[in-house]
Amino acid sequence: MMAWDPKGTRFSVLYVKEGKLNLFVYDIITRVKQYKIDLTKVFDQVQDMKYMLNSNTLLFTAVKNGHTDIYTFEIQNEKVKQITNDIYDDLDASFVAFPNKTGIIFASNRPSPSAKTGDTILPSDNRYNIFLITNFNTVKKKEIKNF
């Protein structure tokens, strides 16, 4: 899987080799692999990878412990932040910017933006819909809206 940074000067490649999930970043200008990172202990599987607005942060749709959620990953310090954490499948995440608002838009089978989650909730058989999550960089409660 491959993703280009917003400036088009470097790209990230995610691949599996000998059962390990690996990531490297290649700089087109310097022709150097800047970072080589093993993500095996972080994720079971990555389904999608895109850059955020800057060239240091990746947006992942990934599986961890059987749940498909959205994560951000700061490349330089290898910091992972889980954006969604629920039983619903959150897929195809992309960073979006509107006037006076930024967020992450994604597809999910959650029945509504305020759907309850927990061990006693059965997995959803709802159809997928589009949602927008804002406040994803704050400690405050993340706001999920149906788009």
Side-chain angles (χ1 to χ4, degrees):
M1 176 177 320
M2 190 169 105
W4 283 91
D5 80 339
K7 295 177 184 175
T9 58
R10 62 188 199 163
F11 62 86
S12 293
V13 175
L14 188 69
Y15 64 99
V16 177
K17 184 177 180 181
E18 298 175 356
K20 293 191 176 208
L21 186 61
N22 298 294
L23 172 78
F24 73 79
V25 179
Y26 184 80
D27 189 303
I28 299 294
I29 307 298
T30 63
R31 297 183 178 186
V32 173
K33 283 186 186 177
Q34 293 178 315
Y35 301 96
K36 297 174 189 170
I37 303 165
D38 182 357
L39 294 174
T40 307
K41 293 181 182 177
V42 180
F43 304 116
D44 301 330
Q45 180 183 16
V46 174
Q47 296 178 328
D48 192 34
M49 173 178 72
K50 295 181 180 82
Y51 271 90
M52 297 280 285
L53 195 56
N54 66 57
S55 297
N56 185 49
T57 307
L58 289 167
L59 182 61
F60 288 133
T61 299
V63 178
K64 185 175 182 177
N65 300 324
H67 294 267
T68 306
D69 288 306
I70 299 168
Y71 301 83
T72 57
F73 179 72
E74 292 179 21
I75 298 167
Q76 286 178 330
N77 60 15
E78 299 182 24
K79 182 180 175 185
V80 175
K81 181 177 180 186
Q82 189 166 6
I83 304 300
T84 60
N85 185 9
D86 51 45
I87 62 164
Y88 304 107
D89 294 328
D90 302 327
L91 306 172
D92 302 319
S94 292
F95 178 78
V96 293
F98 301 108
N100 301 320
K101 184 180 279 192
T102 60
I104 297 170
I105 195 167
F106 62 99
S108 180
N109 63 342
R110 65 186 69 232
S112 71
S114 59
K116 301 217 185 295
T117 186
D119 293 339
T120 59
I121 306 294
L122 294 174
S124 172
D125 61 356
N126 291 319
R127 294 181 183 206
Y128 284 81
N129 207 338
I130 305 300
F131 294 88
L132 174 69
I133 187 166
T134 56
N135 300 333
F136 58 89
N137 278 330
T138 64
V139 179
K140 298 180 203 174
K141 183 173 170 56
K142 295 171 183 73
E143 183 180 0
I144 299 177
K145 293 181 181 178
N146 196 286
F147 198 68

